[in-house]
Amino acid sequence: MSPQPPRVLVMDDDPMVRETARRMLARLGYAVALAADGAEAVQIYRSSLNTDDPIAVVILDLKVPDGMDGVEAARGLLDIDPAACLVVSSGATNVPEMQDYESFGFSATLAKPFQLTELGMVVGELVD
């Protein structure tokens, strides 16, 4: 039986961003789960923990106008799993959460709109 590809969870309030990220990650060989806000991301991550297919990396949209944002979700995920690999994603690169991402619990940043090579590099470094 061949090993399952690493699973990446993408949380973004924009359905087009989620779908684009899903396609890009699938092309890179990852299995993908999607969430519309932080609360959904935390729930998906939690339910994946005790399975044969846990989430390896979570990409979190920084700003979610009508739901739990990336920083709140990161706190919830790190409470569940202090070793969670979290990536903060935003179009605004000059905000504290992107500049000083590690102090917010993130392992990396991904500026939007992201390119396939950049996405592959960031996720690949965290999965290895």
Side-chain angles (χ1 to χ4, degrees):
M1 190 155 104
S2 62
Q4 295 179 18
R7 240 172 119 200
V8 178
L9 172 57
V10 177
M11 182 279 282
D12 198 290
D13 62 312
D14 185 331
M16 198 154 58
V17 171
R18 287 195 306 269
E19 181 57 21
T20 300
R22 185 196 65 73
R23 287 181 181 179
M24 293 170 91
L25 288 162
R27 185 171 172 194
L28 292 166
Y30 297 103
V32 185
L34 301 174
D37 68 21
E40 186 180 7
V42 170
Q43 184 260 325
I44 291 169
Y45 189 90
R46 179 182 286 125
S47 65
S48 86
L49 276 179
N50 297 317
T51 69
D52 293 338
D53 194 18
I55 303 288
V57 175
V58 183
I59 300 171
L60 297 165
D61 185 13
L62 181 58
K63 301 292 180 198
V64 178
D66 297 319
M68 182 188 288
D69 69 21
V71 172
E72 289 177 87
R75 284 189 206 117
L77 291 165
L78 292 169
D79 283 347
I80 296 167
D81 179 8
C85 290
L86 310 177
V87 179
V88 61
S89 177
S90 179
T93 57
N94 60 345
V95 295
E97 297 88 349
M98 293 289 282
Q99 295 288 316
D100 191 23
Y101 61 92
E102 289 170 322
S103 70
F104 291 90
F106 297 103
S107 303
T109 65
L110 198 53
K112 289 196 261 183
F114 39 83
Q115 303 297 314
L116 183 66
T117 52
E118 182 185 12
L119 179 62
M121 210 166 43
V122 168
V123 172
E125 286 176 7
L126 295 174
V127 168
D128 290 342

